[in-house]
Amino acid sequence: YCLFLSAIISIFLVRNYAWHLVGYLGIAAFIGFTLSSLISLPLLEFLPATDRASGITTDELYNFSYPPWHAVTLIFPTYYGDITSYHGEKSYQELSAYFGIIPLLLAGAGLISWPTKHTGEKKIAIALLLVSLLVIFGKYSFLYRFLVNNNLFPPFTAPSRFLLFGTFSIALLSAIGFDALRFNSSWRSRLAGVIGGLSLLLVIL
């Protein structure tokens, strides 16, 4: 998940592609894999001897879907209880996520503000948000079911964990929204930002 997240961010952050940049990335990847080999090589050796060697079934994969009605926990994190009294879908560890009201308001303002001096960062945030929304709902999403049932999507992932992408997106959009409201002198732009923030919050609710 982290490698996929980093790749999306890198695509939008790099302004000018050049061969020396490819070389630097190759060196960085080699150093990263070398350092992680202390864990990855023993993992490759012993994984076939574990109960995860056979992979995950489609039914078990769908169990990691993020139910749309769990979005209320993005604002009220203990709506379905905490780790000791959880009564929601799947498990607290897999589905718990919290954004907060203020970041959502600011993220809505960041979405609606355009043009902005943070165009690259905004494209990153929107791309991550779209990936998250297309994947996290799992069995509740026609697109996800179509991809999995036709072997067009890697069956090794738990869809709800792509909420990491949504969390990163909201954090980035909230910073852009704060910047737009704080430094934009136009009252129309600020009003549009406030409306955008309230709209995103209402969608969640």
Side-chain angles (χ1 to χ4, degrees):
Y1 302 99
C2 292
L3 286 173
F4 192 21
L5 179 64
S6 301
I8 294 177
I9 294 172
S10 301
I11 289 172
F12 287 100
L13 282 184
V14 176
R15 300 290 191 266
N16 299 309
Y17 295 91
W19 283 111
H20 71 274
L21 176 61
V22 175
Y24 290 146
L25 290 175
I27 294 173
F30 175 77
I31 294 174
F33 282 118
T34 302
L35 293 174
S36 65
S37 64
L38 293 171
I39 296 175
S40 58
L41 291 182
L43 179 65
L44 290 174
E45 180 180 357
F46 294 113
L47 183 61
T50 68
D51 59 354
R52 295 200 173 197
S54 59
I56 185 172
T57 65
T58 301
D59 290 338
E60 191 176 358
L61 179 65
Y62 285 157
N63 286 336
F64 287 88
S65 303
Y66 187 86
W69 53 88
H70 264 252
V72 67
T73 61
L74 301 179
I75 302 172
F76 305 108
T78 58
Y79 184 85
Y80 292 102
D82 56 23
I83 195 169
T84 60
S85 60
Y86 183 73
H87 57 275
E89 298 285 339
K90 190 52 182 174
S91 65
Y92 182 82
Q93 291 91 336
E94 292 292 342
L95 299 183
S96 61
Y98 173 66
F99 292 163
I101 294 177
I102 293 177
L104 285 171
L105 288 171
L106 292 174
L111 272 174
I112 204 108
S113 61
W114 199 280
T116 176
K117 59 184 179 181
H118 304 290
T119 304
E121 290 80 0
K122 189 168 183 178
K123 289 179 179 178
I124 294 172
I126 293 174
L128 293 176
L129 188 60
L130 288 176
V131 170
S132 181
L133 290 174
L134 287 174
V135 177
I136 61 172
F137 296 119
K139 64 181 179 182
Y140 304 103
S141 166
F142 170 78
L143 175 62
Y144 185 84
R145 292 201 311 273
F146 174 81
L147 293 175
V148 171
N149 292 335
N150 290 277
N151 296 317
L152 299 174
F153 194 85
F156 54 78
T157 182
S160 61
R161 293 178 187 172
F162 276 89
L163 197 59
L164 168 67
F165 288 34
T167 303
F168 195 95
S169 172
I170 293 297
L172 191 52
L173 283 173
S174 64
I176 296 172
F178 177 80
D179 184 78
L181 292 175
R182 173 66 178 82
F183 297 104
N184 198 323
S185 58
S186 170
W187 69 269
R188 290 185 177 87
S189 298
R190 290 186 175 183
L191 179 62
V194 171
I195 293 174
L198 291 173
S199 299
L200 181 59
L201 190 63
L202 288 173
V203 167
I204 296 293
L205 288 173

mmCIF file with all atom_site columns, all heavy atoms in Angstrom, residues 160-178:
data_model
loop_
_atom_site.group_PDB
_atom_site.id
_atom_site.type_symbol
_atom_site.label_atom_id
_atom_site.label_alt_id
_atom_site.label_comp_id
_atom_site.label_asym_id
_atom_site.label_entity_id
_atom_site.label_seq_id
_atom_site.pdbx_PDB_ins_code
_atom_site.Cartn_x
_atom_site.Cartn_y
_atom_site.Cartn_z
_atom_site.occupancy
_atom_site.B_iso_or_equiv
_atom_site.pdbx_formal_charge
_atom_site.auth_seq_id
_atom_site.auth_comp_id
_atom_site.auth_asym_id
_atom_site.auth_atom_id
_atom_site.pdbx_PDB_model_num
ATOM 1   N N   . SER A 1 160 ? -10.689 -2.447 2.349  1.00 0.00 ? 160 SER A N   1
ATOM 2   C CA  . SER A 1 160 ? -10.847 -1.394 3.359  1.00 0.00 ? 160 SER A CA  1
ATOM 3   C C   . SER A 1 160 ? -9.531  -0.706 3.691  1.00 0.00 ? 160 SER A C   1
ATOM 4   O O   . SER A 1 160 ? -9.520  0.433  4.151  1.00 0.00 ? 160 SER A O   1
ATOM 5   C CB  . SER A 1 160 ? -11.458 -1.976 4.630  1.00 0.00 ? 160 SER A CB  1
ATOM 6   O OG  . SER A 1 160 ? -10.631 -2.983 5.184  1.00 0.00 ? 160 SER A OG  1
ATOM 7   N N   . ARG A 1 161 ? -8.418  -1.379 3.441  1.00 0.00 ? 161 ARG A N   1
ATOM 8   C CA  . ARG A 1 161 ? -7.123  -0.779 3.785  1.00 0.00 ? 161 ARG A CA  1
ATOM 9   C C   . ARG A 1 161 ? -6.736  0.348  2.827  1.00 0.00 ? 161 ARG A C   1
ATOM 10  O O   . ARG A 1 161 ? -5.815  1.106  3.115  1.00 0.00 ? 161 ARG A O   1
ATOM 11  C CB  . ARG A 1 161 ? -6.042  -1.866 3.816  1.00 0.00 ? 161 ARG A CB  1
ATOM 12  C CG  . ARG A 1 161 ? -6.264  -2.846 4.947  1.00 0.00 ? 161 ARG A CG  1
ATOM 13  C CD  . ARG A 1 161 ? -5.242  -3.948 4.975  1.00 0.00 ? 161 ARG A CD  1
ATOM 14  N NE  . ARG A 1 161 ? -5.601  -4.939 5.986  1.00 0.00 ? 161 ARG A NE  1
ATOM 15  C CZ  . ARG A 1 161 ? -4.983  -6.096 6.144  1.00 0.00 ? 161 ARG A CZ  1
ATOM 16  N NH1 . ARG A 1 161 ? -3.989  -6.408 5.337  1.00 0.00 ? 161 ARG A NH1 1
ATOM 17  N NH2 . ARG A 1 161 ? -5.360  -6.951 7.070  1.00 0.00 ? 161 ARG A NH2 1
ATOM 18  N N   . PHE A 1 162 ? -7.432  0.428  1.697  1.00 0.00 ? 162 PHE A N   1
ATOM 19  C CA  . PHE A 1 162 ? -7.198  1.558  0.809  1.00 0.00 ? 162 PHE A CA  1
ATOM 20  C C   . PHE A 1 162 ? -7.757  2.857  1.388  1.00 0.00 ? 162 PHE A C   1
ATOM 21  O O   . PHE A 1 162 ? -7.657  3.907  0.770  1.00 0.00 ? 162 PHE A O   1
ATOM 22  C CB  . PHE A 1 162 ? -7.789  1.279  -0.575 1.00 0.00 ? 162 PHE A CB  1
ATOM 23  C CG  . PHE A 1 162 ? -6.877  0.485  -1.457 1.00 0.00 ? 162 PHE A CG  1
ATOM 24  C CD1 . PHE A 1 162 ? -6.917  -0.897 -1.443 1.00 0.00 ? 162 PHE A CD1 1
ATOM 25  C CD2 . PHE A 1 162 ? -5.969  1.107  -2.283 1.00 0.00 ? 162 PHE A CD2 1
ATOM 26  C CE1 . PHE A 1 162 ? -6.073  -1.647 -2.253 1.00 0.00 ? 162 PHE A CE1 1
ATOM 27  C CE2 . PHE A 1 162 ? -5.119  0.378  -3.097 1.00 0.00 ? 162 PHE A CE2 1
ATOM 28  C CZ  . PHE A 1 162 ? -5.169  -1.011 -3.080 1.00 0.00 ? 162 PHE A CZ  1
ATOM 29  N N   . LEU A 1 163 ? -8.354  2.753  2.563  1.00 0.00 ? 163 LEU A N   1
ATOM 30  C CA  . LEU A 1 163 ? -8.769  3.962  3.272  1.00 0.00 ? 163 LEU A CA  1
ATOM 31  C C   . LEU A 1 163 ? -7.552  4.813  3.629  1.00 0.00 ? 163 LEU A C   1
ATOM 32  O O   . LEU A 1 163 ? -7.675  6.018  3.858  1.00 0.00 ? 163 LEU A O   1
ATOM 33  C CB  . LEU A 1 163 ? -9.533  3.588  4.544  1.00 0.00 ? 163 LEU A CB  1
ATOM 34  C CG  . LEU A 1 163 ? -10.387 4.676  5.196  1.00 0.00 ? 163 LEU A CG  1
ATOM 35  C CD1 . LEU A 1 163 ? -11.448 5.172  4.222  1.00 0.00 ? 163 LEU A CD1 1
ATOM 36  C CD2 . LEU A 1 163 ? -11.060 4.156  6.453  1.00 0.00 ? 163 LEU A CD2 1
ATOM 37  N N   . LEU A 1 164 ? -6.374  4.188  3.667  1.00 0.00 ? 164 LEU A N   1
ATOM 38  C CA  . LEU A 1 164 ? -5.127  4.923  3.863  1.00 0.00 ? 164 LEU A CA  1
ATOM 39  C C   . LEU A 1 164 ? -4.982  6.011  2.811  1.00 0.00 ? 164 LEU A C   1
ATOM 40  O O   . LEU A 1 164 ? -4.559  7.136  3.105  1.00 0.00 ? 164 LEU A O   1
ATOM 41  C CB  . LEU A 1 164 ? -3.938  3.958  3.798  1.00 0.00 ? 164 LEU A CB  1
ATOM 42  C CG  . LEU A 1 164 ? -2.543  4.575  3.699  1.00 0.00 ? 164 LEU A CG  1
ATOM 43  C CD1 . LEU A 1 164 ? -2.207  5.307  4.994  1.00 0.00 ? 164 LEU A CD1 1
ATOM 44  C CD2 . LEU A 1 164 ? -1.501  3.508  3.406  1.00 0.00 ? 164 LEU A CD2 1
ATOM 45  N N   . PHE A 1 165 ? -5.363  5.689  1.563  1.00 0.00 ? 165 PHE A N   1
ATOM 46  C CA  . PHE A 1 165 ? -5.267  6.670  0.488  1.00 0.00 ? 165 PHE A CA  1
ATOM 47  C C   . PHE A 1 165 ? -6.227  7.829  0.732  1.00 0.00 ? 165 PHE A C   1
ATOM 48  O O   . PHE A 1 165 ? -5.895  8.990  0.516  1.00 0.00 ? 165 PHE A O   1
ATOM 49  C CB  . PHE A 1 165 ? -5.587  6.008  -0.857 1.00 0.00 ? 165 PHE A CB  1
ATOM 50  C CG  . PHE A 1 165 ? -4.520  5.086  -1.350 1.00 0.00 ? 165 PHE A CG  1
ATOM 51  C CD1 . PHE A 1 165 ? -3.759  4.330  -0.478 1.00 0.00 ? 165 PHE A CD1 1
ATOM 52  C CD2 . PHE A 1 165 ? -4.282  4.953  -2.700 1.00 0.00 ? 165 PHE A CD2 1
ATOM 53  C CE1 . PHE A 1 165 ? -2.778  3.475  -0.926 1.00 0.00 ? 165 PHE A CE1 1
ATOM 54  C CE2 . PHE A 1 165 ? -3.302  4.096  -3.175 1.00 0.00 ? 165 PHE A CE2 1
ATOM 55  C CZ  . PHE A 1 165 ? -2.550  3.355  -2.290 1.00 0.00 ? 165 PHE A CZ  1
ATOM 56  N N   . GLY A 1 166 ? -7.458  7.493  1.187  1.00 0.00 ? 166 GLY A N   1
ATOM 57  C CA  . GLY A 1 166 ? -8.432  8.540  1.481  1.00 0.00 ? 166 GLY A CA  1
ATOM 58  C C   . GLY A 1 166 ? -7.983  9.421  2.634  1.00 0.00 ? 166 GLY A C   1
ATOM 59  O O   . GLY A 1 166 ? -8.177  10.644 2.605  1.00 0.00 ? 166 GLY A O   1
ATOM 60  N N   . THR A 1 167 ? -7.380  8.818  3.651  1.00 0.00 ? 167 THR A N   1
ATOM 61  C CA  . THR A 1 167 ? -6.887  9.586  4.796  1.00 0.00 ? 167 THR A CA  1
ATOM 62  C C   . THR A 1 167 ? -5.814  10.568 4.368  1.00 0.00 ? 167 THR A C   1
ATOM 63  O O   . THR A 1 167 ? -5.824  11.738 4.757  1.00 0.00 ? 167 THR A O   1
ATOM 64  C CB  . THR A 1 167 ? -6.333  8.624  5.868  1.00 0.00 ? 167 THR A CB  1
ATOM 65  O OG1 . THR A 1 167 ? -7.360  7.707  6.251  1.00 0.00 ? 167 THR A OG1 1
ATOM 66  C CG2 . THR A 1 167 ? -5.866  9.391  7.091  1.00 0.00 ? 167 THR A CG2 1
ATOM 67  N N   . PHE A 1 168 ? -4.882  10.086 3.544  1.00 0.00 ? 168 PHE A N   1
ATOM 68  C CA  . PHE A 1 168 ? -3.816  10.958 3.054  1.00 0.00 ? 168 PHE A CA  1
ATOM 69  C C   . PHE A 1 168 ? -4.390  12.079 2.201  1.00 0.00 ? 168 PHE A C   1
ATOM 70  O O   . PHE A 1 168 ? -3.955  13.239 2.283  1.00 0.00 ? 168 PHE A O   1
ATOM 71  C CB  . PHE A 1 168 ? -2.811  10.135 2.249  1.00 0.00 ? 168 PHE A CB  1
ATOM 72  C CG  . PHE A 1 168 ? -1.507  10.835 2.001  1.00 0.00 ? 168 PHE A CG  1
ATOM 73  C CD1 . PHE A 1 168 ? -0.425  10.633 2.836  1.00 0.00 ? 168 PHE A CD1 1
ATOM 74  C CD2 . PHE A 1 168 ? -1.370  11.703 0.930  1.00 0.00 ? 168 PHE A CD2 1
ATOM 75  C CE1 . PHE A 1 168 ? 0.777   11.294 2.616  1.00 0.00 ? 168 PHE A CE1 1
ATOM 76  C CE2 . PHE A 1 168 ? -0.174  12.362 0.691  1.00 0.00 ? 168 PHE A CE2 1
ATOM 77  C CZ  . PHE A 1 168 ? 0.907   12.156 1.533  1.00 0.00 ? 168 PHE A CZ  1
ATOM 78  N N   . SER A 1 169 ? -5.395  11.748 1.391  1.00 0.00 ? 169 SER A N   1
ATOM 79  C CA  . SER A 1 169 ? -6.013  12.735 0.515  1.00 0.00 ? 169 SER A CA  1
ATOM 80  C C   . SER A 1 169 ? -6.694  13.840 1.318  1.00 0.00 ? 169 SER A C   1
ATOM 81  O O   . SER A 1 169 ? -6.537  15.028 1.011  1.00 0.00 ? 169 SER A O   1
ATOM 82  C CB  . SER A 1 169 ? -7.030  12.050 -0.398 1.00 0.00 ? 169 SER A CB  1
ATOM 83  O OG  . SER A 1 169 ? -7.770  13.000 -1.125 1.00 0.00 ? 169 SER A OG  1
ATOM 84  N N   . ILE A 1 170 ? -7.458  13.451 2.342  1.00 0.00 ? 170 ILE A N   1
ATOM 85  C CA  . ILE A 1 170 ? -8.156  14.443 3.154  1.00 0.00 ? 170 ILE A CA  1
ATOM 86  C C   . ILE A 1 170 ? -7.172  15.343 3.887  1.00 0.00 ? 170 ILE A C   1
ATOM 87  O O   . ILE A 1 170 ? -7.368  16.567 4.005  1.00 0.00 ? 170 ILE A O   1
ATOM 88  C CB  . ILE A 1 170 ? -9.101  13.748 4.161  1.00 0.00 ? 170 ILE A CB  1
ATOM 89  C CG1 . ILE A 1 170 ? -10.240 13.047 3.413  1.00 0.00 ? 170 ILE A CG1 1
ATOM 90  C CG2 . ILE A 1 170 ? -9.670  14.752 5.165  1.00 0.00 ? 170 ILE A CG2 1
ATOM 91  C CD1 . ILE A 1 170 ? -11.144 13.976 2.628  1.00 0.00 ? 170 ILE A CD1 1
ATOM 92  N N   . ALA A 1 171 ? -6.075  14.750 4.379  1.00 0.00 ? 171 ALA A N   1
ATOM 93  C CA  . ALA A 1 171 ? -5.052  15.546 5.063  1.00 0.00 ? 171 ALA A CA  1
ATOM 94  C C   . ALA A 1 171 ? -4.460  16.595 4.117  1.00 0.00 ? 171 ALA A C   1
ATOM 95  O O   . ALA A 1 171 ? -4.281  17.765 4.487  1.00 0.00 ? 171 ALA A O   1
ATOM 96  C CB  . ALA A 1 171 ? -3.960  14.631 5.605  1.00 0.00 ? 171 ALA A CB  1
ATOM 97  N N   . LEU A 1 172 ? -4.182  16.177 2.879  1.00 0.00 ? 172 LEU A N   1
ATOM 98  C CA  . LEU A 1 172 ? -3.594  17.097 1.900  1.00 0.00 ? 172 LEU A CA  1
ATOM 99  C C   . LEU A 1 172 ? -4.603  18.156 1.465  1.00 0.00 ? 172 LEU A C   1
ATOM 100 O O   . LEU A 1 172 ? -4.274  19.355 1.381  1.00 0.00 ? 172 LEU A O   1
ATOM 101 C CB  . LEU A 1 172 ? -3.103  16.299 0.698  1.00 0.00 ? 172 LEU A CB  1
ATOM 102 C CG  . LEU A 1 172 ? -2.219  17.013 -0.324 1.00 0.00 ? 172 LEU A CG  1
ATOM 103 C CD1 . LEU A 1 172 ? -1.053  17.690 0.359  1.00 0.00 ? 172 LEU A CD1 1
ATOM 104 C CD2 . LEU A 1 172 ? -1.719  16.014 -1.362 1.00 0.00 ? 172 LEU A CD2 1
ATOM 105 N N   . LEU A 1 173 ? -5.845  17.740 1.222  1.00 0.00 ? 173 LEU A N   1
ATOM 106 C CA  . LEU A 1 173 ? -6.875  18.699 0.814  1.00 0.00 ? 173 LEU A CA  1
ATOM 107 C C   . LEU A 1 173 ? -7.199  19.688 1.916  1.00 0.00 ? 173 LEU A C   1
ATOM 108 O O   . LEU A 1 173 ? -7.501  20.862 1.643  1.00 0.00 ? 173 LEU A O   1
ATOM 109 C CB  . LEU A 1 173 ? -8.148  17.951 0.398  1.00 0.00 ? 173 LEU A CB  1
ATOM 110 C CG  . LEU A 1 173 ? -8.141  17.294 -0.975 1.00 0.00 ? 173 LEU A CG  1
ATOM 111 C CD1 . LEU A 1 173 ? -9.390  16.444 -1.165 1.00 0.00 ? 173 LEU A CD1 1
ATOM 112 C CD2 . LEU A 1 173 ? -8.046  18.344 -2.084 1.00 0.00 ? 173 LEU A CD2 1
ATOM 113 N N   . SER A 1 174 ? -7.154  19.250 3.161  1.00 0.00 ? 174 SER A N   1
ATOM 114 C CA  . SER A 1 174 ? -7.453  20.162 4.268  1.00 0.00 ? 174 SER A CA  1
ATOM 115 C C   . SER A 1 174 ? -6.379  21.250 4.370  1.00 0.00 ? 174 SER A C   1
ATOM 116 O O   . SER A 1 174 ? -6.688  22.409 4.674  1.00 0.00 ? 174 SER A O   1
ATOM 117 C CB  . SER A 1 174 ? -7.567  19.392 5.587  1.00 0.00 ? 174 SER A CB  1
ATOM 118 O OG  . SER A 1 174 ? -6.346  18.782 5.938  1.00 0.00 ? 174 SER A OG  1
ATOM 119 N N   . ALA A 1 175 ? -5.122  20.879 4.107  1.00 0.00 ? 175 ALA A N   1
ATOM 120 C CA  . ALA A 1 175 ? -4.053  21.888 4.105  1.00 0.00 ? 175 ALA A CA  1
ATOM 121 C C   . ALA A 1 175 ? -4.245  22.886 2.967  1.00 0.00 ? 175 ALA A C   1
ATOM 122 O O   . ALA A 1 175 ? -4.072  24.098 3.141  1.00 0.00 ? 175 ALA A O   1
ATOM 123 C CB  . ALA A 1 175 ? -2.698  21.197 3.984  1.00 0.00 ? 175 ALA A CB  1
ATOM 124 N N   . ILE A 1 176 ? -4.648  22.382 1.789  1.00 0.00 ? 176 ILE A N   1
ATOM 125 C CA  . ILE A 1 176 ? -4.914  23.264 0.643  1.00 0.00 ? 176 ILE A CA  1
ATOM 126 C C   . ILE A 1 176 ? -6.108  24.163 0.938  1.00 0.00 ? 176 ILE A C   1
ATOM 127 O O   . ILE A 1 176 ? -6.103  25.363 0.620  1.00 0.00 ? 176 ILE A O   1
ATOM 128 C CB  . ILE A 1 176 ? -5.171  22.421 -0.619 1.00 0.00 ? 176 ILE A CB  1
ATOM 129 C CG1 . ILE A 1 176 ? -3.913  21.630 -0.987 1.00 0.00 ? 176 ILE A CG1 1
ATOM 130 C CG2 . ILE A 1 176 ? -5.614  23.304 -1.784 1.00 0.00 ? 176 ILE A CG2 1
ATOM 131 C CD1 . ILE A 1 176 ? -4.117  20.633 -2.109 1.00 0.00 ? 176 ILE A CD1 1
ATOM 132 N N   . GLY A 1 177 ? -7.144  23.592 1.570  1.00 0.00 ? 177 GLY A N   1
ATOM 133 C CA  . GLY A 1 177 ? -8.321  24.385 1.916  1.00 0.00 ? 177 GLY A CA  1
ATOM 134 C C   . GLY A 1 177 ? -8.010  25.468 2.924  1.00 0.00 ? 177 GLY A C   1
ATOM 135 O O   . GLY A 1 177 ? -8.492  26.606 2.802  1.00 0.00 ? 177 GLY A O   1
ATOM 136 N N   . PHE A 1 178 ? -7.203  25.143 3.918  1.00 0.00 ? 178 PHE A N   1
ATOM 137 C CA  . PHE A 1 178 ? -6.816  26.145 4.912  1.00 0.00 ? 178 PHE A CA  1
ATOM 138 C C   . PHE A 1 178 ? -6.044  27.277 4.255  1.00 0.00 ? 178 PHE A C   1
ATOM 139 O O   . PHE A 1 178 ? -6.271  28.462 4.536  1.00 0.00 ? 178 PHE A O   1
ATOM 140 C CB  . PHE A 1 178 ? -5.966  25.503 6.011  1.00 0.00 ? 178 PHE A CB  1
ATOM 141 C CG  . PHE A 1 178 ? -5.473  26.486 7.034  1.00 0.00 ? 178 PHE A CG  1
ATOM 142 C CD1 . PHE A 1 178 ? -6.293  26.921 8.055  1.00 0.00 ? 178 PHE A CD1 1
ATOM 143 C CD2 . PHE A 1 178 ? -4.178  26.979 6.966  1.00 0.00 ? 178 PHE A CD2 1
ATOM 144 C CE1 . PHE A 1 178 ? -5.847  27.832 8.989  1.00 0.00 ? 178 PHE A CE1 1
ATOM 145 C CE2 . PHE A 1 178 ? -3.719  27.898 7.889  1.00 0.00 ? 178 PHE A CE2 1
ATOM 146 C CZ  . PHE A 1 178 ? -4.555  28.325 8.909  1.00 0.00 ? 178 PHE A CZ  1
#
